[in-house]
Amino acid sequence: AAATPGGGGVAAGTAGAAGGTGAVVQALEALTIETRTSREEQRKRDEEAREQASEGFQAVHSAVLGLNAKKMPMSEATRDFTSNLLQDLGVQWDQATSNKESGQNDTFIWTGGEEKCTVPAITKLQMMLGECNFQDDERKVEFVDVRKKNLLTLRAGLYESPGQTDIAIRFQELQHSDLAEFAFVVGMVELETDTAQLKSCQQLLELVAMSRMSQYGQGVALLGTDLNTKWEVLFFDNPNHITIQPFQFGSVAIKFFREKLQSVHVRLERIRSVLPPVPEMGGLHLATQGEQDLGGFEQPNHNVQDRLQDLKALERHFNENYNANVTLPLW
């Protein structure tokens, strides 16, 4: 009988110990949950802080780029600006010795300025240039006043240059949409009055822009002139290399320019043949003409030309808005 109370005491003590252990376990579990919650909240705060810091850095970086970016219209381009932009675009250039072959200069009166005289200047140029007979192409060309049409804005590195030109020489008898205005250009003319100097830097940038808009790419040539005594012809003599050729006499310059226009197909193919072949790009196989199934595409030429215009408009869209260099193959 004396042992009974002692046994009860042990049982009570055991129950008390069990109760205390349970409380400790519950406390530990609560602490663990609280710790996990705290860590998760801290992780979220750290992540938000990193995101804010990143956004702040990007904003500052963009602001710095914006402050450092150099934007200059083609008509105002300096030699240093032009050289840096073309270098970033991978284009080189040089100026040849002036051609002093004997010839003659006509006279064109610029009374009223360039704005008033551009239309009669186009008539004068058409008369001087005469008929162009293109190799392997029976189409004729037309002279178009494009002073209000924007060229492709050139962008590279921190440099950006928008611009326009005066006259586009393109194949006629084709329907031109606004987006495909320059799709069939083979040549261009930048006019200056008789009291102004030719702007070689402007002409360089205009030619590069047009080479990325026209389907004739680096086969396009440019004439810079006042129709009196100042004459320059710019053309790609090699891939991504432009030569500026000055002339003393207009008749010689016009003959040279006409030859560049008429040989646009041959020159373009020669330039393209120098470029290394690119059969694959990023794992995407580029089919050759012989590998493609062209069945069902034997349609009248005018339909082909319409489709080509649409494709050229798409090409121009990518070049202008995404700083791309998209060129469709002529075939």
Side-chain angles (χ1 to χ4, degrees):
T4 301
V10 172
T14 302
T21 302
V24 171
V25 170
Q26 290 178 357
L28 289 174
E29 289 178 347
L31 180 61
T32 300
I33 293 173
E34 182 178 351
T35 301
R36 288 176 179 175
T37 302
S38 179
R39 287 178 178 176
E40 179 64 20
E41 291 176 350
Q42 184 62 45
R43 186 191 66 78
K44 291 181 179 180
R45 286 195 295 269
D46 292 343
E47 184 175 336
E48 290 175 357
R50 284 195 298 269
E51 290 179 355
Q52 291 175 358
S54 176
E55 291 174 357
F57 173 79
Q58 292 177 1
V60 172
H61 183 62
S62 298
V64 171
L65 287 178
L67 290 174
N68 292 333
K70 297 181 180 179
K71 182 176 181 179
M72 189 176 294
M74 295 178 185
S75 59
E76 300 175 9
T78 63
R79 186 182 181 90
D80 286 344
F81 176 88
T82 301
S83 296
N84 290 331
L85 175 55
L86 293 183
Q87 181 178 357
D88 287 348
L89 289 171
V91 177
Q92 298 178 324
W93 64 277
D94 60 37
Q95 181 161 326
T97 303
S98 180
N99 185 318
K100 298 182 179 180
E101 180 182 342
S102 180
Q104 63 183 16
N105 284 320
D106 289 338
T107 301
F108 183 81
I109 307 300
W110 287 94
T111 302
E114 185 177 340
E115 181 68 26
K116 180 180 179 181
C117 296
T118 295
V119 173
I122 293 177
T123 302
K124 176 74 172 182
L125 272 171
Q126 288 177 307
M127 181 187 68
M128 296 176 69
L129 194 62
E131 184 176 355
C132 289
N133 297 310
F134 290 82
Q135 298 180 33
D136 303 321
D137 199 322
E138 297 180 355
R139 292 177 292 175
K140 304 301 180 183
V141 295
E142 60 182 351
F143 287 64
V144 185
D145 184 348
V146 292
R147 287 174 294 170
K148 296 182 180 180
K149 302 290 184 179
N150 292 327
L151 295 175
L152 170 71
T153 296
L154 296 178
R155 297 184 180 91
L158 295 176
Y159 300 93
E160 179 177 334
S161 185
Q164 300 168 324
T165 192
D166 293 319
I167 303 170
I169 303 174
R170 69 188 185 192
F171 286 117
Q172 64 181 11
E173 298 178 0
L174 296 170
Q175 296 298 319
H176 297 273
S177 68
D178 289 339
L179 290 177
E181 186 76 30
F182 299 108
F184 300 96
V185 169
V186 295
M188 51 202 301
V189 182
E190 179 59 35
L191 297 171
E192 298 291 346
T193 65
D194 53 351
T195 60
Q197 296 299 316
L198 299 183
K199 300 178 181 179
S200 297
C201 292
Q202 175 184 0
Q203 295 169 173
L204 281 166
L205 297 178
E206 288 180 5
L207 181 59
V208 172
M210 186 62 75
S211 73
R212 300 180 177 212
M213 300 173 71
S214 169
Q215 77 168 80
Y216 302 105
Q218 295 188 5
V220 175
L222 182 147
L223 171 67
T225 181
D226 67 348
L227 297 178
N228 287 285
T229 61
K230 295 185 280 289
W231 304 86
E232 288 181 350
V233 176
L234 285 72
F235 61 98
F236 286 88
D237 55 349
N238 284 297
N240 297 318
H241 186 277
I242 299 172
T243 291
I244 302 175
Q245 178 61 66
F247 292 87
Q248 186 170 350
F249 295 101
S251 60
V252 181
I254 286 293
K255 178 182 178 182
F256 185 86
F257 184 54
R258 184 191 303 115
E259 290 173 351
K260 293 302 178 186
L261 295 180
Q262 293 179 152
S263 61
V264 60
H265 297 303
V266 175
R267 291 188 300 106
L268 178 58
E269 289 306 313
R270 180 182 63 79
I271 289 175
R272 282 181 170 171
S273 67
V274 178
L275 297 173
V278 187
E280 295 184 1
M281 184 180 297
L284 175 63
H285 178 67
L286 303 181
T288 63
Q289 184 176 5
E291 294 175 322
Q292 298 186 55
D293 180 7
L294 301 180
F297 285 88
E298 299 82 1
Q299 299 183 26
N301 288 335
H302 70 275
N303 289 336
V304 174
Q305 292 165 358
D306 289 343
R307 293 199 304 276
L308 181 57
Q309 281 188 308
D310 293 337
L311 290 173
K312 292 305 296 182
L314 180 61
E315 173 185 307
R316 183 182 177 191
H317 170 77
F318 277 108
N319 288 338
E320 285 187 334
N321 295 289
Y322 299 98
N323 197 28
N325 183 15
V326 179
T327 302
L328 295 175
L330 287 178
W331 51 261

